[in-house]
Amino acid sequence: MTRTGSIVRPATPDDSPSIAELLDRTLGKRSYGQRLKLWNWRFDRNPARTEAFPSFLVAEEKGRIVGAQGLIPLRVKAGKRQLNASCSCDLAADPAARSAGMKLKLAALAKE
């Protein structure tokens, strides 16, 4: 999804330092090693992990990560079917980019 200057995309491993920096600014400081250990447990070692869900979605403006949403993979049983799902975590947006969400929603709902 894009708007002028904004991109929402799956995170790559190279994004980890920028995501950690954003989370430090918005949710409070934590050592980078602690974050990596937690992410490894939530995502990499998670038995429900699937390629269907990235570990994070990021919002990027002018090459800088300004938003992040972690996606913890899990399995859900619905009747006899087992489905892949995710639970949100580590949701953060840079204060300078916080108005972008409503602009994106309004653009998505526009008839044109």
Side-chain angles (χ1 to χ4, degrees):
M1 174 176 271
T2 64
R3 74 172 174 96
T4 306
S6 295
I7 298 170
V8 176
R9 61 171 176 78
T12 67
D14 291 341
D15 294 323
S16 294
S18 296
I19 294 169
E21 181 183 313
L22 173 67
L23 295 176
D24 283 349
R25 286 194 321 269
T26 57
L27 302 178
K29 277 281 216 195
R30 181 178 277 183
S31 80
Y32 185 63
Q34 251 186 329
R35 288 204 189 276
L36 289 179
K37 187 175 179 180
L38 178 62
W39 294 343
N40 181 37
W41 175 76
R42 281 184 183 163
F43 309 116
D44 300 329
R45 292 185 10 222
N46 187 327
R49 183 176 184 208
T50 172
E51 296 301 315
F53 299 104
S55 57
F56 277 92
L57 292 175
V58 294
E60 187 177 52
E61 286 186 356
K62 300 176 186 171
R64 183 172 167 252
I65 292 178
V66 296
Q69 179 178 6
L71 302 171
I72 301 173
L74 54 101
R75 294 186 187 113
V76 177
K77 192 166 184 178
K80 294 182 180 184
R81 295 176 49 201
Q82 185 169 307
L83 306 170
N84 294 321
S86 69
C87 180
S88 179
C89 67
D90 292 337
L91 177 61
D94 188 283
R98 288 188 181 159
S99 67
M102 186 54 71
K103 291 176 186 173
L104 286 170
K105 287 177 188 173
L106 290 174
L109 294 173
K111 291 185 181 193
E112 62 274 350

